[in-house]
Amino acid sequence: MTAFKLVVVSAGLSEPSSTRLLADRLTESTVRQLGASGRAVDVTVVELRDLATEVANNFVTGFPGAALREAVRAVTEADALIAVTPIFTASYSGLFKSFFDVIDHDALTGKPVLIAATGGTPRHSLALEHAVRPLFSYLRAVVVPTAVYAATDDWGAAGDRHTDGLPGRIDRAAGELAGLLEGRGPAAPGLPEQVVPFAEQLAALRV
């Protein structure tokens, strides 16, 4: 069985980076959940910090350098993406946006994407919904329902995989991405697996 190609785009600028840490946690959960179904995953990580100069040069010259060209090829050929950006001034970073500006606008059509972000305060969490999600919707990607935001306090907060803390949100989003890759569609917790037709529901009420 052919392994899924998962590309992880991290736009963290520092080293070590909380953005890269979140990307790694999301990747680990996705690989683990796909592995439980017997599916192998080939993971490629694109660190945008290492490509900043080539991204800038590409806008000036119109020609990507070798490393940027390889990163674009990886994203274009991926079966799915995990895209993680720090939040600056209530939006994605300029480097994050510039990288996706380099990619052909049709390259992400129909591609499953998990979006995530990091920031210093929970107040910026909605940037995922008003900035990052519309970006990938414009590129016609299929964005999983759960977007994961990690503020500074989330890393030290107590929580487990059965709560709505950071570990639980990571697993839920990763499960939705795994479901799209396996053709099951995103998970819908709490809904019955089989939908009862409305006519049958009315008939049951008449009994």
Side-chain angles (χ1 to χ4, degrees), residues 58-132:
N58 182 82
F59 280 107
V60 175
T61 66
F63 297 99
L68 179 57
R69 187 165 54 249
E70 179 61 23
V72 170
R73 183 196 62 79
V75 169
T76 300
E77 295 180 358
D79 294 309
L81 297 181
I82 293 175
V84 191
T85 178
I87 298 300
F88 297 142
T89 322
S91 189
Y92 38 63
S93 74
L95 180 57
F96 183 83
K97 177 61 162 59
S98 295
F99 175 71
F100 285 101
D101 283 342
V102 169
I103 297 172
D104 185 273
H105 286 181
D106 294 325
L108 300 188
T109 300
K111 198 181 298 292
V113 177
L114 191 168
I115 58 172
T118 56
T121 169
R123 292 195 300 272
H124 294 305
S125 61
L126 286 179
L128 277 165
E129 301 302 331
H130 71 66
V132 185

Side-chain angles (χ1 to χ4, degrees), residues 132-168:
V132 185
R133 190 181 296 276
L135 168 64
F136 288 99
S137 295
Y138 174 79
L139 296 172
R140 299 192 296 280
V142 180
V143 186
V144 303
T146 300
V148 180
Y149 180 83
T152 300
D153 291 345
D154 285 323
W155 296 108
D160 57 39
R161 301 189 185 281
H162 304 290
T163 71
D164 202 39
L166 182 58

